Amino acid sequence: MKNEILFKLTYGMYAIGVKDDNKASACIVNTVTQVSNSPNMVAVSMSHRNYSNECIAKNGIFTVSVLSEDTSGAVIGALGFTSGRNTDKLANVRHKILAEGVPVVKENICCWFLCKVVSKAETPTHTIFIAEIIAGSDEARGAPMTYDYYHRVIKGKAPKNAPTYQEQKPEKDSNDGESWICTVCGYIYNDPDVSFESLPDDWVCPICGAPKSAFKRI
Ligand code: FE
């Protein structure tokens, strides 16, 4: 089977809020699934290499913020493409910290819920945390952002730690041979009307916020 067949599976886009000893952090996942309704339980798959995985394993608690189509790609960039181990990923993302110490993102999300881990399973690359929803929004707003919307409309890419990541060759540029790729997140710039060179020096990657210097010509 070709790996690309798996692209036909559908997903959403979620920010997972976690806490360490004395700080809150968050990451982006596309794999949150409801797995029980009495009580309400979800499963989340997270790379062994993710700092958030360590935090959840240690503290047994996390939040899920359901991103909407109105959530900026920059929020996904800030939370999805760097590690919270050494940086404050939430520095430029509006959020609130719950009494339990875990953050909820406040960037045009649909809704959120607080989850307590009850079980987990290991795969060779990822941990699947199974958790009970113990609190959350009373109402949902907006249209949830699907993984397809993220790829198709926001032009976002999957980071290497995503369970659904597949290595792909950069697409051939159909415009003028002038495509540039962000070496941080994989976003490809190939606007036929505005050359990469003519972008202002302070232009940044619309997905991850990396500077112009982080791009290389394909
Ligand atoms: Fe980028």
Side-chain angles (χ1 to χ4, degrees), residues 90-159:
L90 290 163
N92 297 312
V93 175
R94 285 181 291 135
H95 64 281
K96 70 173 177 188
I97 306 284
L98 303 181
E100 290 80 3
V102 280
V104 167
V105 169
K106 303 285 282 179
E107 298 270 5
N108 296 325
I109 65 165
C110 283
C111 57
W112 64 272
F113 30 90
L114 174 65
C115 305
K116 187 167 173 269
V117 175
V118 295
S119 181
K120 66 176 185 173
E122 295 294 347
T123 75
T125 55
H126 289 69
T127 305
I128 301 160
F129 292 103
I130 299 167
E132 182 176 341
I133 297 175
I134 55 175
S137 309
D138 289 323
E139 286 180 47
R141 286 178 302 185
M145 185 189 294
T146 63
Y147 201 45
D148 177 63
Y149 183 92
Y150 170 64
H151 286 293
R152 204 165 33 79
V153 181
I154 299 189
K155 307 281 185 209
K157 305 288 177 185

Side-chain angles (χ1 to χ4, degrees), residues 19 28 48 50 57 85 100 105 128 159 162 165 178 180 209 216:
K19 66 170 180 179
I28 300 291
H48 292 154
N50 268 12
R85 201 181 303 276
E100 290 80 3
V105 169
I128 301 160
Y165 173 77
E178 290 292 323
W180 293 70
K216 68 176 184 191

